[in-house]
Amino acid sequence: MIAIIKYNAGNIRSVQNALQRLGCTAVITDDHEEILNAGKVIFPGVGEAASAMKYLREKNLDTLIISLKQPVLGICLGLQLMCRHSEEGDTTCLGIFPSDVRLFPPADKVPHMGWNNLITVKGPLLNGISPDENLYFVHSYYAETGPCTTAVCEYIVPFSAAMQKDNFYATQFHPEKSAGPGEKILKNFIEL
Amino acid sequence: MLKKRIIPCLDIRDGRTVKGVNFVNIRDAGDPVELAAAYAEQGADELVFLDITATIENRKTLANLVERIAAKINIPFTVGGGINTIDDVSVMLKAGADKITINSAAVRNPHLITDIAREFGSQCVVTAIDTKFRGNGWFVHIDGGRTPTELDTLVWAKRAEELGAGEILLTSMNNDGTREGFALSITRETASKLNIPVIASGGAGKMEHFSELFSGTGCSAALAASIFHYGDIKISQLKEYLYNEGVPVRI
């Protein structure tokens, strides 16, 4: 059973739909017991960092998430909230990855919206993904590259497209909206 | 590198696609879900569904359709047509749409853009602009193009961006349906003036129209309906052509 963490961020249903297409059952929940007992946890999200962190703190989900021992996958805002700090709303985040989150400089269209390829790719989550495959991104803020970066994407600046530390995995792109390559990544996560 | 997007648009009435469709291997050409799946399979980068009747009675039918699409489709999709309130948006997003598009309602009540962006994020607010060249400039038209306004297209597009729109879907009424190519000048002006992505629409008739659009305007995506529906151009074929022309596309 996979638990999808329910909080005040959109895009949660589409993660559940994508898992269902792969024959996997997932529950959307903010119940601590249910999350702790799940085989795997997905921390999705489209939204605003400060209000999302506020909600997580109110529900004590912040301390719960960092204490998890099973594989956890953060998606989009999920990845950013797993970093140290976000410029969006000057927000202190969960601090799992030692990277900071910044607003794209206005040298090109912001948000970075659409399909882009990964430059470097490593780690089990991205197994089988080649650098010429494209993933779907929608974001105005990006996580800097750092020791936990497992894939780099380039848009205005090079940034972390995927990250990993121990049991914590994360993608800036939306695997649930990224056609075949996205399904491969979700399947890799299911099989971790 | 960020790729230029190709977006087929499906017109919906009573939960079915409206235009005739010339696809092979589809049992029911009127079923938007099957069509959407076929487009996704061919390499469409996103999909847009426009409810052309958009009455209150149709809301439920549309929401049910959006749920069926969301369960089946693994690429992003946008839903529009008659979205007037935050509640309308909420219903569509909860049913599984990734973005919504608003047009007349945003002109009548510009702060709707801000309200939606605050509640659900800018990334899900596509502001659609129907524009027509009249005498000395490009003016915004509303109500499906029936009502002209004195609103200048560039002024309105910039305002929509400032209010929180995540993208602009710009349709040239002069070009729409002509199959003689996109409106390059107004698309170029809009894309260069804005910091958010612009989707060009109206006038696609052959593959060359897409390459001249992408090489000459700075727009981020192209939307088309009939050339894809009637099977004149297959999306996979178009993308291969664009790739060979040096346009960055996902193939």
Side-chain angles (χ1 to χ4, degrees), chain B residues 93-113:
Chain B
L93 296 182
K94 278 199 181 121
D98 297 286
K99 315 179 199 182
I100 56 86
T101 172
I102 48 173
N103 189 331
S104 312
V107 173
R108 293 203 170 92
N109 172 22
H111 290 284
L112 180 61
I113 298 175

Side-chain angles (χ1 to χ4, degrees), chain A residues 109 115-117 134 136 183, chain B residues 1 3 46 71 74 191 194:
Chain A
K109 306 285 183 199
W115 298 80
N116 207 333
N117 58 300
N134 292 288
Y136 189 81
E183 278 167 6
Chain B
M1 183 184 247
K3 308 303 182 294
E46 285 183 31
N74 59 10
L194 300 193

Side-chain angles (χ1 to χ4, degrees), chain B residues 22 41-42 45 50 62 64 66 81 89 97 100-101 110 123 141 145 170 176 181 189 200 212 226 229 232 251:
Chain B
N22 184 18
E41 186 64 28
Q42 283 185 14
D45 295 306
L50 280 185
L62 185 62
N64 288 340
V66 169
V89 177
I100 56 86
T101 172
Q123 82 292 330
H141 285 232
L170 183 71
D176 202 29
E189 281 183 73
E212 67 188 21
S226 54
H229 297 334
D232 302 356
I251 51 174

